[in-house]
Amino acid sequence: MRASPLFRARLLPLMASLALVACNGGDAGPSVSVPDLAPGSYVVNAGTADAPVPGRYFSGSDGSRVLVLNNAAEQAERIYRRASSSAEWVAVPAATADVNISLQASHKQAALSALTVGQLVGRYVTQLGPGVWAQFTVAADGSISAGAASSCKLSGRLDSQGGAGGLALSLMASGCGNAVPASSSGFALADVDELPARMRLLADDGRTMLDLRAFSE
Protein backbone atom coordinates (compact mmCIF):
# COMPACT_ATOMS: atom_id res chain seq x y z
CA MET A 1 0.00 0.00 0.00
CA ARG A 2 1.41 3.34 -1.03
CA ALA A 3 1.77 6.07 1.62
CA SER A 4 -0.46 9.11 1.17
CA PRO A 5 1.10 12.45 0.16
CA LEU A 6 0.19 13.86 3.61
CA PHE A 7 1.92 10.97 5.42
CA ARG A 8 5.04 11.38 3.27
CA ALA A 9 5.07 15.12 3.99
CA ARG A 10 5.02 14.46 7.73
CA LEU A 11 7.62 11.66 7.53
CA LEU A 12 10.29 13.56 5.59
CA PRO A 13 11.16 16.10 8.33
CA LEU A 14 11.41 13.28 10.89
CA MET A 15 13.77 11.29 8.65
CA ALA A 16 15.88 14.41 8.09
CA SER A 17 16.20 15.04 11.82
CA LEU A 18 17.16 11.41 12.46
CA ALA A 19 19.82 11.61 9.78
CA LEU A 20 21.21 14.77 11.39
CA VAL A 21 21.43 13.05 14.76
CA ALA A 22 23.25 10.11 13.17
CA CYS A 23 25.76 12.39 11.47
CA ASN A 24 26.45 14.40 14.63
CA GLY A 25 26.59 11.39 16.93
CA GLY A 26 23.70 12.62 19.07
CA ASP A 27 24.12 14.53 22.30
CA ALA A 28 27.82 14.45 23.18
CA GLY A 29 27.04 15.23 26.83
CA PRO A 30 28.90 17.63 29.13
CA SER A 31 32.37 18.73 28.08
CA VAL A 32 35.39 18.26 30.36
CA SER A 33 38.35 20.63 30.12
CA VAL A 34 41.58 20.15 32.09
CA PRO A 35 44.88 22.07 31.70
CA ASP A 36 47.53 20.24 29.68
CA LEU A 37 50.75 19.99 31.71
CA ALA A 38 54.08 18.88 30.29
CA PRO A 39 55.08 15.23 30.87
CA GLY A 40 55.87 14.46 34.49
CA SER A 41 54.17 14.00 37.86
CA TYR A 42 52.81 16.95 39.80
CA VAL A 43 51.32 17.97 43.11
CA VAL A 44 48.45 20.33 42.25
CA ASN A 45 45.79 22.54 43.80
CA ALA A 46 42.51 22.87 41.92
CA GLY A 47 40.86 25.04 44.57
CA THR A 48 41.78 28.36 46.16
CA ALA A 49 44.05 29.46 49.00
CA ASP A 50 41.03 29.50 51.32
CA ALA A 51 39.50 26.26 50.02
CA PRO A 52 42.27 24.12 48.51
CA VAL A 53 41.43 20.98 46.54
CA PRO A 54 44.71 19.02 46.52
CA GLY A 55 45.53 16.40 43.97
CA ARG A 56 48.04 14.63 41.80
CA TYR A 57 48.54 15.03 38.07
CA PHE A 58 50.26 12.37 35.95
CA SER A 59 51.25 13.39 32.43
CA GLY A 60 52.61 10.84 29.96
CA SER A 61 54.77 11.63 26.94
CA ASP A 62 52.17 9.91 24.73
CA GLY A 63 49.55 12.56 25.55
CA SER A 64 47.77 10.48 28.19
CA ARG A 65 46.85 12.30 31.38
CA VAL A 66 45.36 11.49 34.79
CA LEU A 67 44.25 14.15 37.29
CA VAL A 68 43.25 12.88 40.75
CA LEU A 69 41.54 15.30 43.14
CA ASN A 70 41.60 14.14 46.74
CA ASN A 71 39.32 14.61 49.73
CA ALA A 72 40.45 15.47 53.27
CA ALA A 73 41.40 11.82 53.86
CA GLU A 74 43.72 11.94 50.82
CA GLN A 75 41.49 9.52 48.91
CA ALA A 76 40.42 10.13 45.32
CA GLU A 77 37.17 12.06 45.19
CA ARG A 78 37.19 12.82 41.47
CA ILE A 79 39.28 11.51 38.59
CA TYR A 80 39.78 13.09 35.18
CA ARG A 81 41.59 11.02 32.57
CA ARG A 82 42.57 11.21 28.93
CA ALA A 83 43.82 8.21 26.95
CA SER A 84 45.85 10.16 24.38
CA SER A 85 46.40 13.65 22.98
CA SER A 86 43.57 13.10 20.47
CA ALA A 87 41.09 11.70 23.04
CA GLU A 88 38.51 13.57 25.09
CA TRP A 89 38.84 14.05 28.82
CA VAL A 90 36.57 11.75 30.86
CA ALA A 91 35.31 12.51 34.37
CA VAL A 92 34.63 9.91 37.08
CA PRO A 93 32.03 10.09 38.46
CA ALA A 94 30.54 11.11 35.12
CA ALA A 95 30.01 14.85 34.72
CA THR A 96 26.41 16.08 34.78
CA ALA A 97 27.38 19.57 33.56
CA ASP A 98 30.33 21.10 31.72
CA VAL A 99 33.57 20.94 33.74
CA ASN A 100 36.40 23.44 33.39
CA ILE A 101 39.25 22.64 35.77
CA SER A 102 41.59 25.48 36.72
CA LEU A 103 44.81 24.61 38.54
CA GLN A 104 45.74 27.33 41.02
CA ALA A 105 49.13 25.74 41.63
CA SER A 106 51.19 22.91 40.21
CA HIS A 107 54.56 21.68 41.44
CA LYS A 108 56.44 19.24 39.25
CA GLN A 109 57.96 16.44 41.28
CA ALA A 110 59.67 14.28 38.69
CA ALA A 111 59.78 13.11 35.12
CA LEU A 112 57.73 9.97 34.61
CA SER A 113 59.66 6.85 33.70
CA ALA A 114 57.67 4.09 32.07
CA LEU A 115 56.49 1.60 34.66
CA THR A 116 56.82 -2.09 33.79
CA VAL A 117 54.99 -5.14 35.10
CA GLY A 118 58.34 -6.65 36.08
CA GLN A 119 58.91 -3.85 38.59
CA LEU A 120 55.71 -4.75 40.44
CA VAL A 121 55.98 -8.53 40.66
CA GLY A 122 55.42 -9.61 44.25
CA ARG A 123 52.92 -10.04 47.09
CA TYR A 124 50.85 -7.12 48.37
CA VAL A 125 48.34 -6.12 50.99
CA THR A 126 45.89 -3.20 50.71
CA GLN A 127 43.06 -1.73 52.75
CA LEU A 128 39.73 -1.22 50.98
CA GLY A 129 37.85 0.21 53.95
CA PRO A 130 37.66 0.12 57.75
CA GLY A 131 38.58 -3.43 58.72
CA VAL A 132 38.58 -4.63 55.10
CA TRP A 133 41.96 -5.84 53.86
CA ALA A 134 42.97 -7.84 50.82
CA GLN A 135 46.10 -9.73 49.88
CA PHE A 136 47.07 -10.32 46.28
CA THR A 137 49.98 -11.34 44.11
CA VAL A 138 51.24 -9.80 40.85
CA ALA A 139 52.87 -12.38 38.56
CA ALA A 140 55.44 -11.79 35.83
CA ASP A 141 52.74 -11.94 33.13
CA GLY A 142 50.74 -9.18 34.84
CA SER A 143 48.03 -11.41 36.28
CA ILE A 144 46.67 -10.47 39.72
CA SER A 145 45.68 -13.36 41.99
CA ALA A 146 43.83 -13.14 45.30
CA GLY A 147 45.58 -14.27 48.46
CA ALA A 148 44.11 -17.05 50.55
CA ALA A 149 44.41 -15.29 53.90
CA SER A 150 41.77 -12.57 53.30
CA SER A 151 38.02 -12.87 52.72
CA CYS A 152 38.13 -9.86 50.36
CA LYS A 153 39.39 -11.22 47.05
CA LEU A 154 41.06 -9.07 44.38
CA SER A 155 42.04 -10.49 41.01
CA GLY A 156 42.62 -9.12 37.53
CA ARG A 157 45.46 -7.96 35.35
CA LEU A 158 48.09 -5.30 34.79
CA ASP A 159 48.97 -4.34 31.23
CA SER A 160 51.85 -2.23 29.92
CA GLN A 161 49.56 -0.09 27.75
CA GLY A 162 48.40 2.08 30.64
CA GLY A 163 49.36 5.63 29.75
CA ALA A 164 50.26 8.53 32.07
CA GLY A 165 53.37 6.64 33.16
CA GLY A 166 51.32 3.81 34.68
CA LEU A 167 49.99 0.38 33.85
CA ALA A 168 46.47 -0.37 32.66
CA LEU A 169 44.53 -2.12 35.41
CA SER A 170 41.50 -4.42 35.26
CA LEU A 171 40.23 -5.51 38.65
CA MET A 172 37.56 -7.88 39.97
CA ALA A 173 36.49 -7.95 43.61
CA SER A 174 34.39 -10.33 45.68
CA GLY A 175 33.64 -10.41 49.39
CA CYS A 176 34.85 -6.82 49.76
CA GLY A 177 31.57 -5.07 50.60
CA ASN A 178 28.94 -3.20 48.63
CA ALA A 179 31.07 -0.05 48.34
CA VAL A 180 33.59 -1.87 46.14
CA PRO A 181 32.63 -2.41 42.47
CA ALA A 182 32.66 -6.04 41.36
CA SER A 183 34.47 -5.09 38.16
CA SER A 184 36.49 -1.94 37.49
CA SER A 185 39.33 -0.64 35.35
CA GLY A 186 41.92 2.10 35.66
CA PHE A 187 45.62 2.58 36.35
CA ALA A 188 48.40 1.30 38.56
CA LEU A 189 50.82 4.12 39.32
CA ALA A 190 54.15 4.22 41.12
CA ASP A 191 54.09 7.53 42.96
CA VAL A 192 57.02 8.73 45.08
CA ASP A 193 54.54 10.81 47.08
CA GLU A 194 52.86 7.57 48.26
CA LEU A 195 55.91 5.88 49.79
CA PRO A 196 56.14 3.46 51.55
CA ALA A 197 53.24 2.21 49.39
CA ARG A 198 54.70 0.35 46.40
CA MET A 199 51.91 1.42 44.04
CA ARG A 200 48.59 3.25 43.92
CA LEU A 201 45.65 1.55 42.22
CA LEU A 202 43.02 3.89 40.77
CA ALA A 203 40.01 2.14 39.24
CA ASP A 204 36.32 2.78 38.63
CA ASP A 205 33.24 1.29 37.01
CA GLY A 206 32.03 4.69 35.75
CA ARG A 207 30.21 5.38 39.03
CA THR A 208 32.24 4.13 42.00
CA MET A 209 35.96 4.71 42.47
CA LEU A 210 38.63 2.61 44.12
CA ASP A 211 41.74 4.31 45.43
CA LEU A 212 44.08 1.73 46.94
CA ARG A 213 47.60 1.94 48.27
CA ALA A 214 49.33 -1.44 47.91
CA PHE A 215 52.17 -2.32 50.28
CA SER A 216 54.71 -5.10 49.74
CA GLU A 217 54.39 -8.06 52.09
Side-chain angles (χ1 to χ4, degrees), residues 34-56:
V34 179
D36 197 3
L37 300 184
S41 65
Y42 299 79
V43 175
V44 299
N45 173 23
T48 64
D50 296 329
V53 180
R56 302 282 285 120

Side-chain angles (χ1 to χ4, degrees), residues 42-161:
Y42 299 79
V43 175
V44 299
N45 173 23
T48 64
D50 296 329
V53 180
R56 302 282 285 120
Y57 190 115
F58 303 92
S59 175
S61 57
D62 59 353
S64 57
R65 304 285 187 269
V66 177
L67 169 62
V68 184
L69 298 183
N70 296 329
N71 57 22
E74 297 187 355
Q75 290 291 311
E77 189 170 70
R78 285 172 287 160
I79 297 175
Y80 301 94
R81 46 182 164 80
R82 187 180 76 183
S84 67
S85 56
S86 60
E88 299 292 332
W89 281 92
V90 176
V92 180
T96 57
D98 289 352
V99 176
N100 188 6
I101 297 294
S102 177
L103 299 179
Q104 304 305 318
S106 61
H107 172 68
K108 186 173 182 179
Q109 283 196 312
L112 284 177
S113 56
L115 189 62
T116 66
V117 172
Q119 292 173 270
L120 298 179
V121 170
R123 295 175 59 190
Y124 295 89
V125 60
T126 185
Q127 185 174 15
L128 290 87
V132 182
W133 294 82
Q135 295 172 306
F136 65 91
T137 299
V138 176
D141 64 353
S143 58
I144 299 172
S145 302
S150 57
S151 57
C152 173
K153 305 296 185 183
L154 296 179
S155 59
R157 188 166 192 82
L158 294 175
D159 188 274
S160 59
Q161 304 302 314

Side-chain angles (χ1 to χ4, degrees), residues 10-49:
R10 290 176 177 174
L11 183 61
L12 285 174
L14 175 61
M15 293 177 64
S17 64
L18 289 174
L20 182 60
V21 169
C23 290
N24 293 337
D27 184 5
S31 65
V32 178
S33 176
V34 179
D36 197 3
L37 300 184
S41 65
Y42 299 79
V43 175
V44 299
N45 173 23
T48 64

